[in-house]
Every structure is written in structure tokens, then in C-alpha cells.
Amino acid sequence: MIKVAFLTKNLDIGGIERAILNYLNYMDKLKYEITLFLDEGEGIYLNEVPKDVKIVNLNMCKSRNFLWRKLVNFFKLGYYSLKYYHKFDFAASFTTTVKSNIILAKRFSSNNAIWYHGEYWNTDEEAKRFVKYSNSLKYKKVVFVSNYVKDKYINFTHSKQNLFVINNPIDHLKMIKNSQEDLGLKREKFTFLNVGRHEEKAKNLIALLNVTDRLLKDGYDFDLWMVGSGPDTDLYKSIISRLQIEDHVKMFGKQSNVYPFYKIADAFVLTSVTEGNPVVYLEAKVMNLPIISTNVSDAKIELDGYGIVCDINEDAIYEAMKEFLDKGYKIENPFDPVVYNRDVLSKLYEVIGLWIR
């Protein structure tokens, strides 16, 4: 058995969390003995981890007292480093921004990798700081979820490491099954859907609300459903109230099962300014839901025949949503999730780099 360790923050709602859960579900357990290390042993997906995957809660200190937090975590990192030092054939820091993941994955195995789920910088100075923080140049392998992120990394670091691009896997059977759940949803008119973390810096949802207001004032009658939560949820609620669009914008908060929303909606809309490889693209594809997206990551490749890719500004988003309302959209390219997942897993096994025959 090949012993594999994945380290991530937690299993709360989000694209990274759903991606790691799908890896855990689809990997061959007859060949791979998997241990999942959580910085925080919590999250709504925790009970969905396969029973044959061992979970270790690192339980890193989150105290607001800086000195106490540093002291406690110093000893915790030392303990886990000694206990699991080179005990795995492969170890991956799956959440690039979590320090415990970054430090421990390298110590757990000499055959290690760090995942880049997105573009973590806007300027060269920010890139320099982040690469130093993540210590990614010290890893044997770096995995990116899109060619766009990989190219940005190479342009800045000129890295000679082993670099891989792997899109996120997806549990299409579970999605289709869970989409049948009756959440009491009622679609009354054309409905746009947005699913994701409420974090303005990346998700740019103020633009979506402003565009919604413009379209409504121009006489279009539709609803916008927003599923998710985050640090800027209250900000969005205040904007909805100020614009007086409460009758058309419905906020559903954090949901463990988002798929009934995809089944009912007419189009998915993503207005981000930065993304890695959005899991929501895949979810929409499986549910045969056309997509409007700003031009982030590999959107023009990923969404060819699946929707409209527009520039990252309110006027462009307005025109894209208006086009959907005026003309609708017919998906051209059928999506085969079985073939897709087979390719993803093949690339993951290549990254692990050990084979049992």
C-alpha cells in the first residue's frame, strides 16, 4: 500500500473542500492508504469523508493572543513533525495558505507537493511575499488547478521544479442524486444562480448586485439566488437593502447541498476577479446549466460551448446577463464527467509518482 497524506484547513463549504473530498472518494483504496490532516477538525463535509480514510485533527491554536498562539503551535508542529516524520510515501499541502499544511507536508514525506488553487497575488511584490510564505520553491512538486495559474507562477519564479496542472475532480453521481432533494425551492421567473464564498476581494459580488439593479430598472424581470456565506455577507445584505432589490435577490446562506439550486436555476453567473479552477464550473456542467463568467483563469477554454465569458467590469457583466435574458443559451458541448474524472485521477497518480503493479 502506498501511504498518502493530504493536509488541508477544514471541511467547511468551499471549492477546495469539495475538491479534496472528491479526491478522497475516488482514489483507489486498494492501492492507497490515505490519511487526512485537518488544521481545524470541523466542517459540514466532515461526515462525508470515506470510512477507510483516517482523519487526524491537528487542532492548531487559534487564540487571538499572538504570543500564546505562536508558542502552542510551535510545540504542536514539533510534535507532529516527530510523530510523522517521513512516515508517508507522498504528502501534499492542499490548502496553500495554511501554515501548518505548508510546514508539515514537507516533513511528512520527501516526496511532496503543494497545491496552488488560485492566483494569490496582484502585484510582483505580493507574489514575492506569497511564494516566500508558502515555501513552495522548496517543494519537490507544485500542482496548479489551471494553466493560467501555472503560467503566472513560472513568469514570476522561473521555477525548474516539477510542475503539474490538474483540474479538480467532481462527484457527479452524488450531485445528480442530491439535486433531487426537495428543499422547498420555488422558481417563479428566470433565475440566475451564484454559489460561493462571500468575499468581495476575489468574488466581486457588489458588481453582480449593481448589474442586477441596472437590469431590473431597465425593465427585465428575473431573480438572483445567492448561495453561500463569508465575511462580506452583511455588506451584501446592506447593498441589497439600499438598492431596494430584496424582492428579486434571495440569499440562502451556507448550504451543505447546493445541487437542487443548480437543477432549478436557468443560468449560473460568476463575477470573480480571480479564480483558480472554479468547482462551480464543473457543478454547472454536470447539471447542464449554462454559465456566465468573467474572464478568470482558463474560463475561455473551460466554458467553450457552455456559456459566455466577459470582461471583468460591470458593463461587460451587464451585457452578458442581458444577452441571456434576451436570447437564452443552448449548450453545445456535452460534458462527460466519467472521462473527465478518469483524466484527473490519472494525473494525480502521476504526481504521486509511485505505482503498484
Side-chain angles (χ1 to χ4, degrees):
M1 294 280 280
I2 296 174
K3 295 184 178 180
V4 173
F6 286 106
L7 295 89
T8 193
K9 183 179 180 181
N10 57 40
L11 288 178
D12 211 347
I13 191 168
I16 292 175
E17 292 76 15
R18 292 202 295 279
I20 188 65
L21 187 63
N22 289 334
Y23 273 125
L24 298 177
N25 277 304
Y26 277 98
M27 287 182 69
D28 187 345
K29 309 303 190 308
L30 296 178
K31 296 181 179 179
Y32 297 92
E33 180 182 305
I34 307 169
T35 303
L36 176 66
F37 292 85
L38 298 175
D39 190 74
E40 308 164 354
E42 60 187 30
I44 60 177
Y45 296 132
L46 196 58
N47 62 351
E48 297 185 28
V49 175
K51 300 301 182 184
D52 45 10
V53 172
K54 181 181 178 181
I55 299 176
V56 176
N57 179 11
L58 298 174
N59 194 27
M60 301 305 291
C61 180
K62 304 299 178 185
S63 172
R64 293 184 179 181
N65 185 311
F66 175 80
L67 292 177
W68 176 250
R69 185 175 73 248
K70 287 292 183 183
L71 179 63
V72 172
N73 286 340
F74 173 81
F75 284 105
K76 285 196 173 191
L77 290 171
Y79 169 76
Y80 289 117
S81 297
L82 289 172
K83 183 175 182 179
Y84 295 104
Y85 184 72
H86 284 196
K87 291 291 180 67
F88 295 92
D89 299 304
F90 173 79
S93 173
F94 201 73
T95 307
T96 328
T97 57
V98 176
K99 202 62 178 179
S100 65
N101 294 187
I102 294 165
I103 293 171
L104 293 175
K106 283 184 77 280
R107 297 177 181 176
F108 286 1
S109 178
S110 59
N111 179 28
N112 48 61
I114 187 167
W115 253 252
Y116 267 65
H117 292 276
E119 181 186 2
Y120 297 104
W121 56 76
N122 294 312
T123 66
D124 285 350
E125 187 58 34
E126 289 179 0
K128 182 178 179 180
R129 288 198 300 268
F130 186 81
V131 170
K132 181 179 180 180
Y133 171 83
S134 69
N135 203 26
S136 58
L137 289 172
K138 299 295 184 181
Y139 272 79
K140 299 292 184 183
K141 305 162 186 177
V142 186
V143 179
F144 306 89
V145 295
S146 70
N147 289 288
Y148 172 81
V149 178
K150 176 186 174 183
D151 292 344
K152 296 282 284 189
Y153 183 84
I154 293 173
N155 289 339
F156 176 74
T157 64
H158 306 289
S159 171
K160 302 298 183 183
Q161 297 161 278
N162 292 315
L163 307 179
F164 301 84
V165 175
I166 310 178
N167 296 145
N168 291 317
I170 194 160
D171 190 344
H172 60 287
L173 295 177
K174 179 182 176 183
M175 285 177 52
I176 294 170
K177 177 183 177 181
N178 287 354
S179 72
Q180 307 300 320
E181 182 180 353
D182 184 5
L183 298 182
L185 299 172
K186 185 178 180 182
R187 173 190 172 281
E188 297 177 346
K189 59 192 71 171
F190 190 99
T191 300
F192 290 107
L193 173 66
N194 175 271
V195 177
R197 180 171 170 78
H198 290 174
E199 189 171 27
E200 181 60 20
K201 183 178 179 180
K203 302 302 182 182
N204 194 32
L205 292 174
I206 292 177
L208 177 58
L209 295 176
N210 287 337
V211 168
T212 296
D213 181 50
R214 285 177 58 184
L215 287 166
L216 291 171
K217 287 179 177 176
D218 286 346
Y220 290 95
D221 187 21
F222 64 94
D223 284 338
L224 169 64
W225 289 0
M226 300 177 70
V227 179
S229 65
D232 291 316
T233 295
D234 288 340
L235 170 63
Y236 299 144
K237 288 180 178 178
S238 68
I239 292 173
I240 292 168
S241 177
R242 175 174 57 82
L243 295 175
Q244 297 182 338
I245 53 177
E246 300 98 326
D247 290 342
H248 294 271
V249 180
K250 301 177 182 179
M251 301 187 73
F252 292 90
K254 184 189 300 184
Q255 299 282 331
S256 60
N257 182 12
V258 299
Y259 307 115
F261 294 90
Y262 284 91
K263 182 181 178 182
I264 295 173
D266 294 288
F268 189 91
V269 57
L270 181 144
T271 55
S272 299
V273 297
T274 180
E275 288 282 353
N277 177 244
V279 173
V280 292
Y281 284 176
L282 295 169
E283 293 174 337
K285 285 182 177 182
V286 170
M287 300 305 298
N288 208 38
L289 186 67
I291 303 165
I292 299 169
S293 175
T294 45
N295 189 15
V296 290
S297 189
D298 293 344
K300 288 189 175 180
I301 299 172
E302 296 283 339
L303 302 185
D304 182 29
Y306 261 89
I308 298 174
V309 178
C310 64
D311 290 338
I312 308 173
N313 62 70
E314 289 188 13
D315 287 341
I317 296 168
Y318 172 90
E319 291 299 330
M321 292 176 68
K322 180 176 180 293
E323 181 176 339
F324 262 74
L325 291 166
D326 287 337
K327 303 177 182 178
Y329 188 89
K330 183 178 180 180
I331 292 174
E332 299 174 2
N333 299 331
F335 178 66
D336 189 333
V338 175
V339 173
Y340 171 86
N341 275 338
R342 188 184 303 145
D343 181 59
V344 168
L345 284 176
S346 176
K347 290 177 180 177
L348 173 65
Y349 297 150
E350 181 184 351
V351 171
I352 295 173
L354 300 168
W355 303 91
I356 295 177
R357 301 186 183 280

